[in-house]
Amino acid sequence: MKADVDIRRLTVKPLNPAVQPSSRVQVISWMGEIAGTGDMSGSLDVLATYAGASYYMLAREDMFQENGLSFVITSNWPFDLVKKIGGTLAASQARVSEMEKCLSLLQPQLHILPDEGCIPKGTDRQYCAMTFCVGNIRFALLLMFPEGTVPSMERLREVGLLCGYSASFGIGYDLKVERDIDLTERELECLYWIAEGKTSDEMATILGISRNTINNYITSVMRKTATKTRSEAIAYAVRNNLV
């Protein structure tokens, strides 16, 4: 499945209230059956209902800052609301460091939808966002709830884990790796030695090149990974299994 928006899924049709998973065991059983088919929309139907949510959106967090709706994997959010929130997601992504992104994995966070966004009747303006990784790809799960609903943080974490499990079958490594960072061998070497705590002078001695060349490689690494410090570059490298 490609990570392109499926316009057919961006409807205002809520989940079927008759489908009510009664227990964790039942949900896990259903997920096992659905995941094998690669049906991400079916998986999200079950998980959102289990979480008590009315609407779901699964997106690629690493693509939030791109134009259009290509970051959406599957969703039943109203189409106009997805377009409105795209800019909000991109702005919030730009304010967060790589270290903070790592620490926030599988930690449900509650946010408020933009005032200009028209939400479905009976839906709370507060929504939940949670991130998880499948291989080198970072995903975000966004859930909207009926008015007055107080979501369970413990259950939301369960939902995040199960969504990652399902995505590893339905999306996972079949996604194009066009978003993977193209680092050169030298840049990867520098990244490795940064993670080992080496200074530019020490790396220059180890690799047999000048200190200025080392700093140029490091600058290139941070530009390609959209990081601002060496610590953020290390966090990025660890999260993406580069070192």
Side-chain angles (χ1 to χ4, degrees), residues 39-53:
D39 180 8
M40 281 305 302
S41 297
S43 296
L44 266 295
D45 281 338
V46 172
L47 290 176
T49 305
Y50 182 58

Side-chain angles (χ1 to χ4, degrees), residues 190-210:
C190 290
L191 197 52
Y192 170 79
W193 289 115
I194 291 173
E196 290 293 308
K198 302 300 183 183
T199 65
S200 293
D201 288 329
E202 290 171 329
M203 284 189 278
T205 300
I206 293 169
L207 299 177
I209 52 182
S210 72

Side-chain angles (χ1 to χ4, degrees), residues 82-167:
V82 177
K83 290 200 299 183
K84 291 285 187 185
I85 203 173
T88 301
L89 295 173
S92 63
Q93 180 86 341
R95 292 193 298 267
V96 180
S97 69
E98 283 296 322
M99 184 65 72
E100 290 172 317
K101 291 174 188 176
C102 290
L103 294 174
S104 68
L105 289 174
L106 291 174
Q107 297 300 318
Q109 298 181 9
L110 299 177
H111 304 281
I112 303 298
L113 290 165
D115 290 336
E116 63 273 17
C118 183
I119 65 173
K121 185 177 180 180
T123 302
D124 206 305
R125 190 164 288 277
Q126 180 176 260
Y127 71 96
C128 172
M130 184 166 38
T131 60
F132 61 89
C133 290
V134 178
N136 293 341
I137 310 291
R138 183 190 293 271
F139 295 93
L141 175 62
L142 288 76
L143 299 171
M144 288 195 294
F145 298 84
E147 285 182 334
T149 299
V150 180
S152 163
M153 295 295 107
E154 181 179 354
R155 179 161 290 195
L156 287 172
R157 281 188 284 270
E158 288 181 22
V159 166
L161 286 168
L162 289 170
C163 191
Y165 165 77
S166 183

Side-chain angles (χ1 to χ4, degrees), residues 19-30:
V19 182
Q20 293 290 339
S22 58
S23 69
R24 180 191 304 177
V25 173
Q26 186 179 26
V27 170
I28 291 174
S29 175
W30 287 8

